[in-house]
Amino acid sequence: MDNPFNPFTQFDEWYAFDIQHFYNTLGLVARFASFSEDLSDDELEAESQNAIARILAIDFEHKYKIVEEPIAAS
């Protein structure tokens, strides 16, 4: 919630802030997900979304929120 950087356009800065504040968001998602090379892209996406939902369900400090990348108009 407090990371001022955009993870889609300023990933390096976003990640550095995340690590410096001991959130390790990517590591947290990896711990909650069951990733495998045998999964299809759709299955990997579903596994990621499931992991995120589980994290949000136990995030009593409200550290996390879902951020979606805006879709560019064509």
Side-chain angles (χ1 to χ4, degrees), residues 25 27-35 45-62 64-66:
T25 302
L28 184 61
V29 171
R31 283 193 302 275
F32 275 79
S34 297
F35 295 122
E45 177 66 22
E47 189 63 29
S48 295
Q49 294 303 318
N50 184 34
I52 292 166
R54 291 174 57 204
I55 292 165
L56 290 174
I58 64 166
D59 179 25
F60 300 112
E61 294 179 342
H62 304 288
Y64 299 99
K65 68 177 182 178
I66 295 176

Side-chain angles (χ1 to χ4, degrees), residues 7-51:
F8 302 105
T9 60
Q10 301 170 300
F11 181 81
D12 291 340
E13 295 89 348
W14 175 88
Y15 184 68
F17 183 96
D18 188 71
I19 295 300
Q20 288 169 355
H21 289 83
F22 305 103
Y23 299 137
N24 192 19
T25 302
L26 298 181
L28 184 61
V29 171
R31 283 193 302 275
F32 275 79
S34 297
F35 295 122
S36 166
E37 292 180 12
D38 298 329
L39 297 178
S40 69
D41 288 345
D42 289 339
E43 291 169 324
L44 288 170
E45 177 66 22
E47 189 63 29
S48 295
Q49 294 303 318
N50 184 34

